[in-house]
Amino acid sequence: MRRTAALTALLVLVPGLLLWRWPRPRALGLARLLPQTALLQSFPASPQRAIPALWSQRLGSPLAERIWRQQRRIWWQFWGRDGDGGPYLAFAAPSSQPVPPLGLRVDDLVVVAPDPLSQRLLQDQLKLSGRQPRGLEQRCLQRLQQEQAVFWSPLGLGLLAGPMAPLLQRFQEGCLSLTLQGSNLAMEGEASSTSGILARPGRLAPLPGLEPLPADLLLEWRGPALEGVLQGLLSRQLIREPLAARYGIGEGQLALLGSAPFALRLRPVSKGPFQASLELELQVGANRKPWTQLLSTLVPAIQTQGLEATSSGSPTLPATTWLRQDGQVVAGWRWLLPSSGPPRLLLFLGPQPPLLAQPLPKVSQSGPALTSPTLTSPEMAAAMVLRARPQALARLGLLPTELPLPLQQSGQLDLVAFQPAGRGRALASPLSQLMGRLQLQQARRPVR
């Protein structure tokens, strides 16, 4: 009996002593801050490196120098949900350390605001909110406490992506861990189309090998169902009503479009009135009748805009091209016949695109399996694949200027979004797991 009691005491006391002697580094105040942020970034302490500009701006040179050299843990910068002020600075500090001007203490953290108004706003929000992060937010919090990472809320995504935000509805809240690997910045994390989701992700498949983006493409976005792109746009009544009233595209037609696997491409145009052309290629299945009916409903509405149609191709696979009065091609559609499988439909805005022969995703009962890349995880079978040349897009003014500078200057972005395999709908789950890489200009750490 004495031996049992002694063993029990040993099992309880030893771990407790170890935790007391070597406590796990935690930022308790970060859990309170996270619900109040639009965008939050974490950085590992690097006291041997130059002082970041944000530290000097918020603390002044002498104080920033002293506190920066003492840092041994993660530090953070974040933007509040009001979306107007500059970034806050947050770092771990003992309770004996004085709070600097425009600063406030949040548990074990010191937070320095960009201005007095931002300081008061954050202080009031922290008093009113007692919500603790859960689900996706909790997992993101763990990343932000342990490694270099970034978290965004729906507001943060809107601020960064600007007019592109509705196309990214599936990723409106999430986080990414960032790791420098030579001249590439590796990214891994998760995102959701629903804020505050509690669901847990499945097992993550390894990042597939992606083919280099062809030289004649600025962007290519492939996915198992177009609803992943249309979701944010069609949630706006301002867009749904004109589609139905002017073009005859109602709920049935939208469901047809949303279920189709797709490839969205952006090509540069070297001359003429367009900087780039946009292509949308759809896998329509063996039954083309509902698609031909959809296209026929568009014809009268397009003609009312002063455009003229020319037809070509075969009777079974016709093509329609729309021209302005000066003869400039501005849009059109054509049917494509692959070497195997059903026909595909290509819609375009701008000049006529080259003939495309690359196959689209094949749909199976458990979700799509892309011909390239191949997904190996049975739990995460569906995927969206985005490949882009951010620097080339920025040069043409086609990239939101609010995006981080390393992203705007990168040669190529590869991002794969895995979704849990569902029954019936390819994108049944609102949760996505993200993996990707960013080709940086030089082999250096991300700019802060």
Side-chain angles (χ1 to χ4, degrees):
M1 189 68 176
R2 292 180 178 177
R3 292 181 180 178
T4 302
L7 181 60
T8 301
L10 187 65
L11 292 174
V12 172
L13 291 176
V14 170
L17 289 172
L18 290 175
L19 288 174
W20 174 79
R21 178 63 179 84
W22 294 292
R24 177 179 295 179
R26 295 184 63 194
L28 301 177
L30 198 64
R32 293 178 58 197
L33 288 174
L34 188 67
Q36 312 304 326
T37 64
L39 182 70
L40 194 152
Q41 295 175 279
S42 61
F43 303 97
S46 304
Q48 72 281 1
R49 299 182 60 204
I51 303 173
L54 181 64
W55 283 68
S56 299
Q57 294 167 3
R58 296 292 176 265
L59 299 175
S61 296
L63 183 59
E65 171 79 23
R66 178 169 60 83
I67 299 179
W68 174 251
R69 300 305 174 197
Q70 297 173 353
Q71 290 301 301
R72 297 296 183 270
R73 293 170 55 183
I74 300 288
W75 64 275
W76 304 267
Q77 68 175 11
F78 66 92
W79 285 259
R81 291 186 180 260
D82 55 89
D84 296 328
Y88 295 77
L89 170 65
F91 54 89
S95 57
S96 58
Q97 182 170 307
V99 176
L102 296 182
L104 61 148
R105 183 167 292 280
V106 184
D107 293 334
D108 56 339
L109 302 184
V110 167
V111 179
V112 187
D115 53 69
L117 177 59
S118 297
Q119 181 191 29
R120 289 196 299 272
L121 284 173
L122 180 61
Q123 198 165 23
D124 293 341
Q125 290 166 355
L126 291 173
K127 290 179 181 178
L128 295 174
S129 175
R131 182 174 68 86
Q132 291 295 313
R134 299 185 300 163
L136 172 61
E137 286 186 349
Q138 180 61 39
R139 295 191 295 274
C140 289
L141 181 63
Q142 294 172 359
R143 295 179 186 271
L144 294 162
Q145 291 174 331
Q146 300 170 2
E147 56 194 350
Q148 186 159 352
V150 59
F151 165 83
W152 65 90
S153 69
L155 175 60
L157 179 65
L159 294 174
L160 288 176
M164 293 174 54
L167 301 177
L168 304 174
Q169 179 73 18
R170 284 202 59 83
F171 317 109
Q172 69 168 344
E173 181 176 84
C175 56
L176 287 170
S177 296
L178 308 174
T179 306
L180 190 64
Q181 298 178 348
S183 61
N184 292 329
L185 184 66
M187 301 174 287
E188 186 269 322
E190 57 182 302
S192 172
S193 61
T194 303
S195 181
I197 188 171
L198 299 180
R200 297 193 62 85
R203 180 168 57 90
L204 189 63
L207 181 65
L210 300 177
E211 296 291 333
L213 190 63
D216 64 338
L217 285 182
L218 294 168
L219 178 147
E220 182 182 65
W221 188 357
R222 291 172 167 260
L226 190 59
E227 66 170 319
V229 177
L230 299 179
Q231 186 178 29
L233 289 172
L234 298 180
S235 64
R236 302 184 177 188
Q237 190 174 3
L238 188 63
I239 293 178
R240 289 199 316 272
E241 287 187 352
L243 284 175
R246 185 179 302 175
Y247 297 99
I249 300 178
E251 295 298 329
Q253 291 80 9
L254 292 176
L256 181 68
L257 287 167
S259 63
F262 74 95
L264 184 69
R265 302 182 183 94
L266 196 64
R267 296 182 186 273
V269 177
S270 58
K271 58 182 179 179
F274 300 100
Q275 284 187 308
S277 64
L278 182 67
E279 305 167 12
L280 177 60
E281 189 178 358
L282 301 172
Q283 179 177 300
V284 302
N287 183 13
R288 288 194 291 127
K289 183 177 180 180
W291 294 94
T292 56
Q293 292 174 344
L294 187 151
L295 294 175
S296 65
T297 62
L298 298 177
V299 172
I302 298 177
Q303 288 175 333
T304 60
Q305 300 178 33
L307 300 178
E308 298 181 358
T310 61
S311 299
S312 61
S314 65
T316 56
L317 292 171
T320 299
T321 304
W322 292 94
L323 300 87
R324 296 189 312 206
Q325 293 181 353
D326 60 1
Q328 173 67 52
V329 175
V330 295
W333 54 75
R334 70 171 73 167
W335 289 96
L336 304 176
L337 184 63
S339 56
S340 62
R344 292 171 285 134
L345 177 62
L346 174 67
L347 302 100
F348 63 91
L349 292 174
Q352 294 191 65
L355 185 64
L356 302 174
Q358 188 175 6
L360 279 173
K362 297 178 180 179
V363 177
S364 64
Q365 185 66 24
S366 61
L370 300 184
T371 55
S372 177
T374 300
L375 303 182
T376 58
S377 171
E379 297 178 11
M380 304 295 289
M384 282 183 159
V385 181
L386 173 65
R387 297 182 299 164
R389 302 185 188 280
Q391 189 179 59
L393 288 166
R395 193 180 299 120
L396 294 173
L398 300 176
L399 207 64
T401 56
E402 292 80 8
L403 290 174
L405 190 60
L407 175 59
Q408 296 193 47
Q409 295 179 342
S410 64
Q412 182 163 329
L413 167 67
D414 299 318
L415 188 64
V416 181
F418 299 88
Q419 281 93 31
R423 295 182 179 179
R425 295 178 59 196
L427 302 178
S429 172
L431 194 65
S432 301
Q433 289 191 266
L434 308 177
M435 297 188 74
R437 64 179 69 92
L438 190 68
Q439 294 180 4
L440 302 177
Q441 285 295 92
Q442 300 176 357
R444 55 182 171 82
R445 295 184 181 275
V447 176
R448 291 171 179 167

